[in-house]
Amino acid sequence: MGYRILAEVTMAVHFLFIAFVVLGGFLAWRWPKVVWLHLLAAGWGLCIVLFGLNCPLTYVEDRARERTGEAGLSRGFIDTYLTGVIYPERCLDEVRLLIAAVVVFSYAVAVRRWRVSRG
């Protein structure tokens, strides 16, 4: 029972982390110090995409599911829960570009807002 809860909580945290990677730059509009945490998260997300790194959250969820007797994740978190479910697999590159554009846009507006507020 404990491993099942761990797997489900890890999956939820993973979704929240991905949402933060995509949308966290907008939080910096209100709370500028968040930008440092977001830069780390976005950098980690970029490294996963560019270098095929494995996310520790995927590892935790996978092992927890195996401990419950379920099959572990056969692919990464995004490939399992998002690609082919939320968006078609053939659109993966477009989705990645859209995410990058959202992050860049959020930072561009944040920088502009910070400059205006400074005088």
Side-chain angles (χ1 to χ4, degrees):
M1 181 66 167
Y3 284 111
R4 179 173 300 285
I5 292 170
L6 176 61
E8 298 301 322
V9 167
T10 304
M11 180 179 62
V13 168
H14 217 150
F15 275 115
L16 290 172
F17 178 79
I18 290 171
F20 181 68
V21 167
V22 176
L23 303 171
F26 295 104
L27 294 176
W29 294 9
R30 176 77 169 104
W31 300 288
K33 290 183 181 180
V34 171
V35 75
W36 299 110
L37 183 59
H38 186 259
L39 281 170
L40 288 171
W44 178 250
L46 185 62
C47 286
I48 287 173
V49 170
L50 292 180
F51 306 116
L53 299 178
N54 294 320
C55 181
L57 290 170
T58 302
Y59 177 81
V60 170
E61 181 186 350
D62 192 38
R63 296 304 166 263
R65 293 204 183 281
E66 288 174 352
R67 293 283 190 150
T68 65
E70 295 179 36
L73 301 178
S74 60
R75 305 175 301 171
F77 180 86
I78 291 173
D79 293 332
T80 300
Y81 296 113
L82 300 177
T83 304
V85 177
I86 303 295
Y87 52 86
E89 190 169 344
R90 69 182 184 280
C91 295
L92 179 60
D93 290 336
E94 291 85 353
V95 169
R96 287 177 174 171
L97 285 172
L98 179 62
I99 290 168
V102 167
V103 171
V104 168
F105 173 76
S106 70
Y107 283 175
V109 173
V111 167
R112 180 176 160 88
R113 290 172 60 110
W114 297 334
R115 286 184 178 166
V116 168
S117 70
R118 284 184 152 171

